[in-house]
Amino acid sequence: MIRVQARTILGHEPGAFRLDVDLEAPADGVTALFGRSGSGKTSILKAMAGLLRPRQGRVILRDDVLLDTEAGVDVPVDRRRLGMVFQDGRLFPHLSVRRNLLYGAPGSPELAAEPPSLDAVVERLGLGPLLDRRPTTLSGGERQRVAIGRALLMKPRALLMDEPLAALDAERKAEILPMLADLQALRRVPILYVSHQMDEVVRLADTLALVDNGRIVASGPVEDLTSRLDLRPLTGRHEAGAVLRGVVSRIEPEWDLATVAVGQDTLTVPARAMRPGIEVRIRIRARDVTLALDRPTGMSVLNALPTTVVETSEADGPHIDVRLRLGDGQWLWARITRKSAAALGVAPGRPMIALIKTVAIDRHSLAPPPAGEA
């Protein structure tokens, strides 16, 4: 278990920021800290790393107490053995990539022998052609890969990642996200990952902690929190949706499509190098779900899932959100107009067909379950 309790005031009155968090996260897998900019996510990482000392607090990693202000315990930053990756990489410009990677590597033979090796990191992150170059000659994506590799080669007990993709364009993010999803294959340690992009959370995390105004508002499995109506203001109304789990049952190579079994139902999604038998998570935005009373015919939409209405939200201008239960107990959301809801008689207990266009399920919406879950 990871426990970060921190109470402190950052800045000066008036307008000082109050941090009052109590975070519990699993001691394995990826926990995403999600919230708006300025909500306190980075401060939580800094408190765990020892870069921020709260007025009151405790930091525990498994059975080791790293901070206990009441007991006078404050393990120095360099002895906490936590690898931190920032938004900008923070590489040493006068050192080669190879020397940057090895900077901070443990000196003791016991730690140095622990995985991953330099060769493994270089191979997994595709750093071979970069080893003799300087950081100033690298692209933003290349610099972040080096920073991630350096953090891994410190042989950390946990990885702390502070929006490592925030400064990158969409193409660079698409390049690095699969590597981040595979990090735990290199070193089996917990990862705390700060983000305000839900597609990153769905791709990487199994646990989600929502941060707002210096507090942890809710935490739990990604699928559970993204389906809660009361958390919509924090998970994002425009990007609101649900995360489904399924197993790839069939590939249609001629169409570049895959069939995913979701309980007794199926979804057709882009194949994305999938193979039968693998488990996947599928993020479906509420705005991409259309409701119908009966299964339609003669239309291009490939996905039609039988559901039951569970609840509806309060009116949001012309729209409402409708929470739907699938046959296997998973949840789906639809955002429709109030006029459509009235015409269809949408109410709790009403059977509905949820229509989802395959093209709405893009590459950012599909991911394997986090490492260790499959």
Side-chain angles (χ1 to χ4, degrees):
M1 180 193 72
I2 294 174
R3 186 79 179 267
V4 181
Q5 297 172 297
R7 287 185 177 182
T8 196
I9 299 176
L10 304 175
H12 303 283
E13 299 287 0
F17 181 78
R18 297 179 181 274
L19 186 71
D20 187 359
V21 298
D22 188 349
L23 170 70
E24 282 193 26
D28 56 13
V30 180
T31 297
L33 305 179
F34 183 85
R36 302 180 183 92
S37 296
S39 61
K41 305 183 300 295
T42 297
S43 296
I44 296 171
L45 291 195
K46 287 183 175 179
M48 184 169 179
L51 301 175
L52 167 67
R53 192 180 193 279
R55 295 183 180 182
Q56 294 178 285
R58 297 184 81 214
V59 175
I60 301 172
L61 175 56
R62 294 191 171 91
D63 296 325
D64 293 336
V65 178
L66 304 181
L67 173 72
D68 189 332
T69 54
E70 195 171 303
V73 176
D74 188 2
V75 176
V77 174
D78 59 335
R79 288 176 48 201
R80 296 192 183 195
R81 285 185 55 207
L82 302 175
M84 191 154 185
V85 181
F86 298 91
Q87 292 183 23
D88 56 3
R90 302 195 183 184
L91 303 179
F92 296 104
H94 62 291
L95 300 180
S96 67
V97 165
R98 182 188 298 274
R99 293 179 65 191
N100 266 287
L101 285 170
L102 294 173
Y103 188 90
S108 73
E110 294 82 6
L111 280 180
E114 289 186 8
S117 66
L118 174 62
D119 289 344
V121 168
V122 168
E123 180 181 358
R124 190 64 62 90
L125 297 179
L127 300 176
L130 311 178
L131 290 176
D132 296 324
R133 291 169 58 182
R134 298 289 178 90
T136 53
T137 70
L138 304 179
S139 69
E142 290 169 339
R143 286 193 294 272
Q144 286 304 88
R145 281 154 50 196
V146 175
I148 293 165
R150 180 177 63 184
L152 284 167
L153 288 168
M154 291 174 61
K155 311 300 172 70
R157 295 187 294 171
L159 275 174
L160 313 179
M161 310 191 79
D162 186 14
E163 299 197 63
L165 308 184
L168 305 182
D169 58 30
E171 187 176 352
R172 298 287 79 78
K173 285 185 180 182
E175 167 191 302
I176 295 181
L177 262 173
M179 297 178 182
L180 292 181
D182 204 27
L183 278 185
Q184 289 201 313
L186 287 171
R187 185 167 179 82
R188 294 280 176 178
V189 294
I191 299 173
L192 292 186
Y193 188 93
V194 164
S195 179
H196 62 269
Q197 298 292 330
M198 187 55 74
D199 61 330
E200 293 179 16
V201 172
V202 171
R203 185 70 184 268
L204 301 173
D206 41 8
T207 302
L208 174 61
L210 297 175
V211 187
D212 186 48
N213 198 28
R215 296 175 179 269
I216 304 294
V217 177
S219 63
V222 170
E223 294 90 342
D224 292 350
L225 266 61
T226 55
S227 69
R228 280 179 51 180
L229 184 63
D230 58 316
L231 298 177
R232 278 302 159 79
L234 299 177
T235 55
R237 290 190 179 277
H238 180 69
E239 292 298 308
V243 179
L244 303 180
R245 291 199 177 215
V247 177
V248 177
S249 60
R250 186 164 63 98
I251 302 295
E252 298 180 85
E254 68 272 30
W255 308 119
D256 199 21
L257 296 173
T259 300
V260 177
V262 180
Q264 300 300 311
D265 303 306
T266 61
L267 276 173
T268 300
V269 303
R272 288 194 67 245
M274 292 180 180
R275 66 181 187 278
I278 67 169
E279 186 180 354
V280 292
R281 300 201 304 182
I282 307 166
R283 180 180 175 223
I284 299 176
R285 297 171 180 84
R287 58 187 169 89
D288 294 327
V289 178
T290 299
L291 297 183
L293 293 176
D294 302 298
R295 188 181 294 269
T297 59
M299 63 186 303
S300 65
V301 176
L302 296 177
N303 297 309
L305 301 180
T307 68
T308 302
V309 176
V310 176
E311 63 176 320
T312 61
S313 68
E314 296 292 330
D316 180 16
H319 306 105
I320 63 168
D321 290 324
V322 182
R323 190 183 190 194
L324 306 153
R325 186 177 64 247
L326 301 178
D328 66 345
Q330 296 193 72
W331 304 101
L332 198 62
W333 283 97
R335 172 164 289 184
I336 62 175
T337 64
R338 290 188 291 120
K339 180 177 180 179
S340 294
L344 294 173
V346 173
R350 178 91 178 197
M352 304 292 296
I353 301 297
L355 307 176
I356 307 159
K357 295 177 66 174
T358 296
V359 294
I361 306 172
D362 58 22
R363 59 192 173 121
H364 301 299
S365 304
L366 291 163
E373 286 195 24

